[in-house]
Amino acid sequence: MMRWLAALGAALLIGLGVLATWINQINDYQVDGTIRFPALDKPVTVTRDAYGVAHIAAENRRDMLRAQGFVTAQDRLFQMELYREITSGRLAQLVGEAGVASDTQMRVLGIPLNAKRMAAQLSPEARRFLSDYLDGVNAYIQTRTDEHPVELGVMGLSPKPWTVEDSVAILQFVSLQHSVNMTTEALAQVLLDTVGSERVGGLLPINVNPDRVPEALPVSPPVHLASLEKADTKDQEAFASHPVVPPWGSDRWAPLHFGSNNWVVGPERSASGKPMVVNDPHVDVRLLPGAWYPVSMSTPDFHAAGVALPIIPGVLVGRTHRVAYGVTNAYGDVMDLFLEVQDPSSPDHYLEGDERVAYERREEIIRIKDDEAEGGFREKKVVVRSTHRGPVISDHDLVKLGKRVVSLSWGAARAFGPEIGLDKLFFARSAEEVDAAIQQIDIHMFNFVFADVDGNFGRRASGKIPIRAVGEGALPVPVTGPGPYWVSWIPKDAMPGEINPETQ
């Protein structure tokens, strides 16, 4: 019996070894010799170090970006294609019912629509920056089909050429990942409903005007806060008498998320007499494939090394021969919830004070993989209602606040202009140029630290942050009239930041 088990174990080990070797071979790609593709104007040399990191040497910057797209596709094509399916709201056609919630969120928030509008406004320089990179990506997709990762076939994905709209959708998605105030506002409203305006000020660092608090609505099913065990007796009694449901519709409370950190030291505080830039984005390196893509690239007049986001050209955290910069999440508040007033006489209208306004409506069709359906797929129609402030997200359980009609205003859906800033950042030659580039980044709320070879250093927060006519952005705002509720944006040069501060 023992011999039989030993033989079986040996056979399993051999089989696993053969399988691992087969998978490694079928996901292999060319890393030596010569590869030809027409997108390049001049020859480019790519070498890989012992860790597989690509080092690109090109004769001009456009070819450098094209080569970056090509090698990134070699290493991360499956990841990139999965990102595209997620941001376009097509995950369910790959994974079935498990992807419906993600697709619904993407469609309701309008990320594909936002990307289309944003791409149409791009300046020629920003479009060329993205397009050069995509020329390399598409060259790999179209000319190296025999090297495509096996995971694509398993998932039923057949890569098609990438467009600028696809890349911009990724930029929108990155903004969404760093826009967290939607759920915190909903939670603040739940607390307000639960313990009342007099006590909520002691639980949250916000000001509550009792005159603007609408009548609390019942919520169900009940879910209690585990952390309340450490609260005082009055708070425990208040929660016990009015159970709470998580406003995002989950049966668990969302875990706390901790931010990243970075810092910069001026030359007077450095033993070397040069400024120092340090950055820790707190991205778990155990997640594979990683969120970052390490790369080094150069031309005769330029060199950069650091990490990029797959499908976004350049380097987001790293250094060039002239500057170094790091980035963390600034958690800028660009999401506001609004409590809309449903017209009691018509389900197709809402009220803005005394004005009766028709909802804008659009239909989204989510295609869902289903082995039991005819053709292997079924469809789900999602009707998105929108007010002047944005989509009604309570219709689709993106938040749950009882029977309230809740709409969302999101900066990334309206704050974009012709520039993305990332191209200017990548090719900046001084701290002043870095600072100017950061001020062109509209839809990403990042905190940058930076320095240059001349000893200048600084910091700057990016993104367009709304100036509100009503409220502080901490609680959902009841709609009492047509607004506007966002009147302007904080001027970019007024965002937190400075160059060469007196206090280091």
Side-chain angles (χ1 to χ4, degrees):
M1 181 68 174
M2 294 300 295
R3 290 181 179 178
W4 183 84
L5 290 175
L8 178 60
L12 287 174
L13 288 174
I14 293 172
L16 289 174
V18 171
L19 179 61
T21 302
W22 176 73
I23 290 177
N24 187 53
Q25 288 177 345
I26 62 174
N27 276 356
D28 199 10
Y29 47 82
Q30 184 178 346
V31 295
D32 53 18
T34 300
I35 298 175
R36 299 184 183 275
F37 61 92
L40 294 177
D41 293 328
K42 299 286 186 178
V44 174
T45 300
V46 177
T47 58
R48 290 181 180 266
D49 60 24
Y51 299 99
V53 175
H55 300 264
I56 301 166
E59 295 186 29
N60 59 74
R61 296 183 179 186
R62 298 191 68 180
D63 280 346
M64 180 183 69
L65 294 176
R66 290 161 179 153
Q68 183 190 9
F70 189 93
V71 299
T72 306
Q74 282 185 307
D75 292 324
R76 299 291 186 88
L77 184 59
F78 174 68
Q79 180 185 20
M80 294 157 64
E81 290 295 321
L82 190 58
Y83 281 175
R84 176 157 59 173
E85 297 305 298
I86 291 172
T87 57
S88 61
R90 298 195 300 258
L91 184 61
Q93 70 181 17
L94 300 178
V95 302
E97 189 66 30
V100 172
S102 173
D103 288 354
T104 300
Q105 183 184 43
M106 297 301 107
R107 305 293 187 90
V108 172
L109 296 183
I111 284 186
L113 294 177
N114 295 343
K116 185 175 182 179
R117 292 189 295 115
M118 182 175 172
Q121 295 184 22
L122 289 180
S123 69
E125 294 79 11
R127 178 173 290 275
R128 183 167 59 246
F129 181 67
L130 297 174
S131 296
D132 286 345
Y133 179 90
L134 293 181
D135 285 345
V137 172
N138 292 335
Y140 181 77
I141 288 174
Q142 295 170 327
T143 66
R144 314 296 290 188
T145 55
D146 57 328
E147 296 179 357
H148 291 180
V150 67
E151 297 94 328
L152 292 174
V154 172
M155 294 291 289
L157 274 172
S158 179
K160 295 178 176 59
W162 280 71
T163 67
V164 170
E165 288 181 14
D166 293 328
S167 292
V168 172
I170 302 295
L171 292 175
Q172 286 272 328
F173 183 70
V174 171
S175 178
L176 177 62
Q177 296 300 99
H178 293 85
S179 303
V180 298
N181 202 55
M182 178 172 68
T183 53
T184 56
E185 280 191 31
L187 176 57
Q189 184 67 52
V190 170
L191 290 173
L192 184 63
D193 293 344
T194 301
V195 302
S197 60
E198 294 182 0
R199 296 194 58 79
V200 75
L203 296 172
L204 297 173
I206 58 177
N207 296 319
V208 178
N209 179 0
D211 295 335
R212 53 79 58 205
V213 179
E215 182 180 353
L217 297 174
V219 290
S220 63
V223 178
H224 296 277
L225 284 171
S227 60
L228 210 62
E229 295 173 0
K230 298 182 180 180
D232 61 38
T233 303
K234 291 183 179 180
D235 285 336
Q236 291 188 43
E237 291 174 352
F239 274 91
S241 64
H242 193 146
V244 182
V245 63
W248 43 86
S250 171
D251 59 354
R252 296 182 180 179
W253 290 92
L256 293 175
H257 294 278
F258 297 98
S260 42
N261 58 276
N262 59 16
W263 45 273
V264 61
V265 173
E268 295 181 4
R269 301 286 185 177
S270 167
S272 67
K274 297 290 185 180
M276 296 188 299
V277 173
V278 180
N279 196 122
D280 181 3
H282 286 201
V283 176
D284 194 339
V285 297
R286 297 169 298 178
L287 298 176
L288 297 176
W292 295 115
Y293 181 76
V295 66
S296 167
M297 45 189 152
S298 64
T299 67
D301 65 346
F302 179 82
H303 177 259
V307 293
L309 294 173
I311 213 58
I312 304 301
V315 167
L316 189 57
V317 177
R319 59 179 175 81
T320 71
H321 65 296
R322 292 285 307 173
V323 301
Y325 49 86
V327 61
T328 63
N329 191 354
Y331 290 103
D333 183 1
V334 294
M335 280 187 163
D336 277 355
L337 300 183
F338 290 88
L339 306 180
E340 303 287 349
V341 181
Q342 176 64 49
D343 184 350
S345 64
S346 170
D348 298 326
H349 294 79
Y350 61 99
L351 301 178
E352 292 182 339
D354 296 329
E355 184 180 355
R356 185 169 175 262
V357 186
Y359 287 105
E360 292 184 10
R361 290 177 177 267
R362 58 182 166 87
E363 290 187 0
E364 299 281 348
I365 304 298
I366 297 176
R367 193 164 180 252
I368 307 167
K369 184 178 180 180
D370 186 345
D371 293 337
E372 297 182 0
E374 183 178 354
F377 295 91
R378 57 185 171 86
E379 293 184 345
K380 177 182 178 180
K381 183 170 71 173
V382 175
V383 178
V384 182
R385 299 189 296 171
S386 295
T387 71
H388 288 160
R389 286 150 289 280
V392 175
I393 61 174
S394 55
D395 287 352
H396 309 282
D397 292 340
L398 270 62
V399 296
K400 288 185 176 181
L401 291 176
K403 297 179 181 179
R404 293 180 174 97
V405 178
V406 184
S407 65
L408 171 71
S409 282
W410 178 32
R414 60 173 70 180
F416 48 78
E419 304 298 338
I420 59 175
L422 301 178
D423 51 338
K424 307 294 194 305
L425 174 67
F426 185 49
F427 293 120
R429 295 181 53 84
S430 66
E432 288 79 7
E433 289 185 9
V434 170
D435 189 52
I438 293 168
Q439 294 183 45
Q440 290 189 349
I441 299 175
D442 290 336
I443 67 171
H444 298 120
M445 287 63 64
F446 292 145
N447 179 61
F448 286 88
V449 294
F450 49 88
D452 65 26
V453 295
D454 297 321
N456 302 298
F457 68 103
R459 67 183 180 97
R460 178 69 65 184
S462 68
K464 279 188 173 180
I465 310 297
I467 297 175
R468 297 169 171 86
V470 179
E472 302 170 334
L475 280 167
V477 176
V479 173
T480 57
Y485 290 84
W486 287 4
V487 296
S488 185
W489 308 99
I490 296 176
K492 291 298 189 71
D493 58 2
M495 292 288 286
E498 53 193 333
I499 297 177
N500 296 331
E502 295 182 2
T503 302
Q504 299 185 22

